[in-house]
Amino acid sequence: MTARRAIHPEAWPYTALLWSLMLDARSRLLHIPKTGGTAVERIALVSPRSVYEAWDKPKRLLRGSCDVSGLVSLWHLTPEQQAVCDHEPSANPYLHRAAHVYCVVREPISRFVSFFAYACKADFVWPSECGPWPECQSLYNVTRAAVALRCFANAAVRAIHEYRQAAHALQANPASEDGVHAKRRARHETKLRLSEFLMHVQPQSWYVRAPVGHRSCEHAFTFEDLRRASVNYTNGAHWRSTRAAVRALADDPPLRAMLEKLYAADVQLWRRVEARLPPTRFHSRGGLNASLDRWRQRRPQLWSRIPACAPRPPRAKKGLNCTCTACCSAELGAHGGRCVRCTFERDECSGKL
């Protein structure tokens, strides 16, 4: 199911910034799973997925202290995981010095439920401890969805806990007479086990800020910003299983409390980004509003108003003709994304990036 919505006039400045980043060859998307990253990648001139897919055998990019289990999408790794895994520098999309790194964050519980609904159609991410991979139709029932959701949540807690223990062991310095060699042996023996399941359940805060304090995402948008920008993202294909999971979660307060505790840092991150504040205290002051001011100076005419799409003449080929009038017509509002992209790429509509 594809969401098609008109661009919100009150959200235009943030929409302009998001589209500017997507259509800027120097910008890089930090792809956080289940936050609409795939929809952004379809538009972005440069995306992590395109970088990794250019390699014949992308798993060779991981060395060092990483143990890859099954299928792993390397564009879902956090910047810190890429560093710990001795990632191939030439394939790391976040090492570009002039790059503007941006990301999309989502309300944590909604993101978890979205992944649960996605897992019923992707057997490679279903945790083995939760039994055989179920058909999505079997999760339409609220009672069955509740049982599967609790097991799913317990598997997420376990995966995150095991990863944290391994990461802590890599940073520890064993006390011995030959401490340097002991530390090297410990790092060699300890492996970070990476799986597609872990990539989807690990906190969003791990992407935005590494535990050591380095910031990883300069421009943080909300999931709702994609809707306001008319970026067509795919809702859960099995919306009935999503609805059943939401009802099951509402009927199980202890389970919801467990997830809120697990994603406590994500809740704070979400609230800050939603309020247009800096994602963390390690980021520069001003948040997204400060970014708006810097980018607004580059193309003031574009940022002052929403671009519009006008119908082509009756005898012309099918399609839309972009103009630079002050507002979008109601009947063409559903095609706002196409209109914005056309406007950004036309010189007469304030110039290319």
Side-chain angles (χ1 to χ4, degrees), residues 301-321:
Q301 293 182 354
L302 173 65
W303 292 64
S304 63
R305 59 191 181 187
I306 300 177
C309 288
R312 289 182 181 273
R315 297 181 181 180
K317 296 181 179 179
K318 295 182 179 180
L320 298 174
N321 180 31

Side-chain angles (χ1 to χ4, degrees), residues 176-309:
S176 67
E177 295 181 359
D178 190 5
V180 175
H181 294 288
K183 183 177 180 180
R184 289 177 180 174
R185 286 195 299 272
R187 289 178 63 87
H188 179 73
E189 295 172 359
T190 304
K191 294 287 186 179
L192 294 180
R193 299 186 180 277
L194 303 178
S195 65
E196 196 70 11
F197 180 78
L198 174 66
M199 298 298 100
H200 281 76
V201 300
Q202 62 187 358
Q204 299 171 87
S205 57
W206 291 7
Y207 290 85
V208 176
R209 184 183 74 85
V212 294
H214 300 306
R215 58 177 183 163
S216 306
C217 178
E218 182 181 357
H219 310 279
F221 296 87
T222 68
F223 187 70
E224 283 68 25
D225 284 330
L226 298 184
R227 173 180 57 82
R228 299 186 186 108
S230 192
V231 175
N232 296 325
Y233 58 86
T234 302
N235 294 327
H238 299 279
W239 61 270
R240 292 180 61 183
S241 58
T242 302
R243 184 176 63 178
V246 171
R247 291 179 58 187
L249 197 59
D251 296 337
D252 193 346
L255 176 58
R256 185 177 183 88
M258 182 181 73
L259 291 176
E260 290 176 347
K261 181 179 179 180
L262 178 65
Y263 296 116
D266 280 7
V267 172
Q268 295 180 5
L269 170 65
W270 164 255
R271 290 173 179 172
R272 291 180 65 87
V273 174
E274 190 177 32
R276 307 301 185 186
L277 298 174
T280 71
R281 61 187 180 89
F282 295 91
H283 287 69
S284 59
R285 296 181 179 180
L288 209 58
N289 289 324
S291 301
L292 284 174
D293 294 336
R294 292 194 298 269
W295 283 71
R296 196 194 307 267
Q297 295 175 3
R298 299 172 59 181
R299 308 178 73 186
Q301 293 182 354
L302 173 65
W303 292 64
S304 63
R305 59 191 181 187
I306 300 177
C309 288

